Amino acid sequence: MNNSNTMARISLVWLLYVLCTLQCSWAFYLPGLAPVNYCKAEDVSETCKKDVKLYVNRLNTEKYVIPYEYYHFDFCPSEESQSPVENLGQVVFGERIRPSPYKIEFLKNETCVRACTKIYKGGNKELEKKLEFLKKGMGLNYQHHWIVDNMPVTWCYQLEDERQYCSTGFPMGCFSREPRSQQDTCSIIGAYNKPKTYYLFNHVDLTITYHSGAEEEWGSAFKENGGRIISVKVVPRSIKHGNVPNCESKQPLEIPYDPLPAGQQLAVTYTYSITFNENRTIKWSSRWDYILESMPHTNIQWFSILNSLIIVLFLSGMVAMIMLRTLHKDIARYNQIESGEDAQEEFGWKLVHGDVFRPPRKGMLLSVLFGSGVQVFWMTLVTLAFACLGFLSPANRGALMTCAMVLYVCLGIIAGYASARIYKSFGGEKWKSNILLTSMLSPGIVFSLFFIMNLIFWANGSSAAVPFSTLIALLALWFGVSLPLTFVGAYFGFRKRSLEHPVRTNQIPRQIPEQSFYTQPIPGVIMGGVLPFGCIFIQLFFILNSLWSSQVYYMFGFLFLVFVILVITCSETTILLCYFHLCAEDYHWWWRSFLTSGFTAFYLLVYCIHFFMTKLDIEDATSTFLYFGYTCIMVYLFFLLTGSIGFFACFWFVRKIYSVVKVD
């Protein structure tokens, strides 16, 4: 009793710690979800600021999975001590937000302001190493990600179809290659066409658009010379400055492909210009629209939903036909035979009533996987619900990942309860092993993969490397919160009476007749994952694009609807195939129900491989390993999710049909 009280106290303390941590970490970002008023220096007050802070984030590229911090590339330094606090999701995703050296004052236009000058000298190993790393970044097309007023600084340019695309990142430079392409970075930004030459974009033209509003709109915060920022756009350029910065110069800063000769110096001067524009038509609440509307393929979302709905309607019709006609007729016939004088021999799914609830082999593992799947299901459902309500919008960086991780930890109680209930229904008695496996197996697999990839990030000096202190915090959440909660859930699960099945199980198992090809286990499992995957594969393209191509994912309403369709499709597919197998007198449905819908994860893996080969330009072995490492985590969690949905649906279906038929 004392031990359980101690565990409960530890869980409560850790839960409070998590909530306090989230409260502190969101302190910088939650104000970004509400308007911030800016005004001239002479009008500064508690409700109005004059300094517009520009923050820099990590740099990443589609050609290389490993991101780097801003100052890893030897750009202009600033006070890192003033960095905003990052939440758990940002740290795990590798975001590193730091203050920039660019000083911006509201409504103060600037022209060709020097940020700093960097000198690189041939023969100096340390400086040569920094310059080579800078060249590597330009060659791999690493992109800046800047933030102003919690909005991404965007780089807008024309696509081949003459449509404007606004990217949330802009390149640090480019490398002029042969042959050249119209969509090459050097071609998009300017006539940087000297072969085998690097062009560093050391100058940025920042255009800040603000909405001036009116007194009735702003209330007491209204200022005549005030405004709210609605967009920040950047135009990067490469300029070769002299001793005095000259931003009108058309001569680009060329960095040769070969190392600098000994004694030769290369001076890189970073400059910036700022222009403020007033806009009275676009309101602050609509400031994300121009970014989201420029994202390609948004109309395909409707096709995805329509495609998924057609599949669901087809399946629902099949299941309804079985339920209302075939199954109803079966039950009526079985009950009529039972009450009639001329009893006939049993046939069909009723014939296996004495074996259908026989405990499966490896019942411990099945119950553990089911419990973990239920945990992932509720985590996904609640996270998507919060995202649909706007709490986890793109403006609230890292909130989606933070919410998912905290929910997963706290939902350990559901995993323990579900696993214990199923395991007890199998007649299992090793309750300690069940609890330990439920709390350790799936989180252990995910954490091990994550830790291996984190070692690679550490070795490469990447910003994606999670600090040791954060790893300790994650382990503390696992062992200090999730583990005790799993014990609590399992305790209540084992205390409840065992699930009573509607029919008794025979002592001697019945022999299963020879099965046709389509009722054999492996073909059934392979077929079972096709339709659920067909409902989600278009949505997968957008999700993978947001993960690996730095695009903003914001259509959580679509995603929630697709998730509901996935749940319905997995359930109906599993029920349909389960019915066919029972009619063929094959009563081994426990594992097959889990694997039938869980096999959707295999098709997810195949699609991720296809996406890697056709959409990404990754070539090096390290990035390939990291891509497939994260893919394995995603596929495993998806396997648990879909498998548990199919298992629960089939469990409900089998109990239902055997509870309404009369059995001796």
Side-chain angles (χ1 to χ4, degrees), residues 278-345:
E278 184 182 6
N279 187 305
R280 289 182 174 271
T281 57
I282 301 175
K283 295 191 176 181
W284 183 90
S285 57
S286 305
R287 63 181 189 161
W288 279 83
D289 290 356
Y290 84 98
I291 301 175
L292 304 180
E293 288 172 0
S294 72
M295 292 291 172
H297 311 299
T298 48
N299 292 332
I300 300 178
Q301 298 274 3
W302 291 108
F303 173 75
S304 168
I305 299 298
L306 185 62
N307 170 67
S308 303
L309 285 174
I310 290 172
I311 293 174
V312 166
L313 288 174
F314 168 74
L315 270 177
S316 299
M318 290 282 289
V319 172
M321 184 179 68
I322 288 174
M323 294 289 190
L324 299 178
R325 297 187 62 185
T326 312
L327 192 59
H328 181 73
K329 194 182 295 183
D330 285 348
I331 293 170
R333 186 167 66 250
Y334 290 153
N335 291 339
Q336 185 179 8
I337 290 171
E338 198 65 39
S339 59
E341 295 180 0
D342 51 339
Q344 301 177 22
E345 185 181 353

Side-chain angles (χ1 to χ4, degrees), residues 270-281:
Y270 292 92
T271 55
Y272 61 99
S273 299
I274 301 168
T275 305
F276 281 88
N277 290 333
E278 184 182 6
N279 187 305
R280 289 182 174 271
T281 57

Side-chain angles (χ1 to χ4, degrees), residues 263-440:
Q264 183 177 331
Q265 287 189 351
L266 174 68
V268 178
T269 300
Y270 292 92
T271 55
Y272 61 99
S273 299
I274 301 168
T275 305
F276 281 88
N277 290 333
E278 184 182 6
N279 187 305
R280 289 182 174 271
T281 57
I282 301 175
K283 295 191 176 181
W284 183 90
S285 57
S286 305
R287 63 181 189 161
W288 279 83
D289 290 356
Y290 84 98
I291 301 175
L292 304 180
E293 288 172 0
S294 72
M295 292 291 172
H297 311 299
T298 48
N299 292 332
I300 300 178
Q301 298 274 3
W302 291 108
F303 173 75
S304 168
I305 299 298
L306 185 62
N307 170 67
S308 303
L309 285 174
I310 290 172
I311 293 174
V312 166
L313 288 174
F314 168 74
L315 270 177
S316 299
M318 290 282 289
V319 172
M321 184 179 68
I322 288 174
M323 294 289 190
L324 299 178
R325 297 187 62 185
T326 312
L327 192 59
H328 181 73
K329 194 182 295 183
D330 285 348
I331 293 170
R333 186 167 66 250
Y334 290 153
N335 291 339
Q336 185 179 8
I337 290 171
E338 198 65 39
S339 59
E341 295 180 0
D342 51 339
Q344 301 177 22
E345 185 181 353
E346 293 179 348
F347 59 92
W349 54 267
K350 185 186 177 185
L351 195 61
V352 295
H353 67 82
D355 298 277
V356 73
F357 291 107
R358 188 178 302 282
R361 294 178 180 178
K362 307 292 182 183
M364 170 81 79
L365 180 60
L366 180 59
S367 63
V368 167
L369 293 178
F370 174 70
S372 299
V374 171
Q375 185 180 11
V376 175
F377 172 82
W378 284 106
M379 176 198 75
T380 307
L381 183 67
V382 177
T383 302
L384 286 177
F386 276 117
C388 288
L389 294 173
F391 291 107
L392 310 178
S393 70
N396 198 359
R397 291 177 180 81
L400 185 71
M401 187 65 175
T402 305
C403 178
M405 292 176 72
V406 171
L407 281 172
Y408 183 82
V409 167
C410 296
L411 289 170
I413 190 168
I414 291 180
Y417 180 82
S419 177
R421 290 286 285 157
I422 292 296
Y423 181 64
K424 192 174 182 180
S425 73
F426 293 159
E429 297 178 352
K430 298 178 180 178
W431 60 272
K432 293 179 182 177
S433 301
N434 176 260
I435 297 171
L436 284 173
L437 282 172
T438 304
S439 58
M440 301 291 286

Side-chain angles (χ1 to χ4, degrees), residues 511-555:
Q511 187 175 358
I512 299 173
E514 187 177 350
Q515 299 292 303
S516 59
F517 175 77
Y518 69 92
T519 58
Q520 289 179 1
I522 293 178
V525 166
I526 292 173
M527 289 187 294
V530 174
L531 288 176
F533 178 76
C535 295
I536 63 168
F537 81 97
I538 297 177
Q539 201 67 222
L540 278 176
F541 172 78
F542 299 100
I543 295 172
L544 293 176
N545 250 353
S546 67
L547 288 174
W548 303 109
S549 299
S550 299
Q551 293 195 12
V552 179
Y553 189 89
Y554 62 97
M555 291 191 172

Side-chain angles (χ1 to χ4, degrees), residues 434-452:
N434 176 260
I435 297 171
L436 284 173
L437 282 172
T438 304
S439 58
M440 301 291 286
L441 181 63
S442 293
I445 291 172
V446 173
F447 185 83
S448 298
L449 287 169
F450 178 75
F451 183 73
I452 291 169

Side-chain angles (χ1 to χ4, degrees), residues 56-62 64-73 75 94-96 134 137-138 141-146 170-173 462-464 550:
V56 293
N57 203 343
R58 63 176 183 178
L59 284 85
N60 61 3
T61 176
E62 294 182 21
Y64 204 52
V65 173
I66 300 174
Y68 291 100
E69 274 202 62
Y70 180 80
Y71 300 112
H72 206 84
F73 286 98
F75 295 128
E95 290 196 15
R96 300 292 182 268
L134 205 60
M138 290 184 281
N141 198 30
Y142 269 84
Q143 300 215 336
H144 290 282
H145 294 278
W146 291 2
F170 65 95
M172 61 179 284
S462 171
S463 66
S550 299

Side-chain angles (χ1 to χ4, degrees), residues 162-235:
E162 297 184 356
R163 201 164 45 87
Q164 188 184 61
Y165 173 62
C166 290
S167 170
T168 55
F170 65 95
M172 61 179 284
C174 68
F175 178 56
S176 182
R177 294 181 174 86
E178 294 290 347
R180 296 174 58 75
S181 166
Q182 287 186 349
Q183 289 302 301
D184 181 70
T185 304
C186 287
S187 301
I188 292 172
I189 294 182
Y192 305 132
N193 51 19
K194 187 176 179 180
K196 296 188 72 175
T197 303
Y198 293 96
Y199 294 93
L200 178 65
F201 301 144
N202 57 328
H203 176 83
V204 289
D205 291 309
L206 291 168
T207 303
I208 302 176
T209 307
Y210 66 96
H211 175 69
S212 54
E215 189 169 2
E216 60 270 15
E217 183 183 345
W218 287 23
S220 59
F222 172 76
K223 297 285 181 183
E224 286 189 10
N225 293 322
R228 292 171 180 170
I229 293 174
I230 55 175
S231 75
V232 183
K233 297 181 180 180
V234 63
V235 177

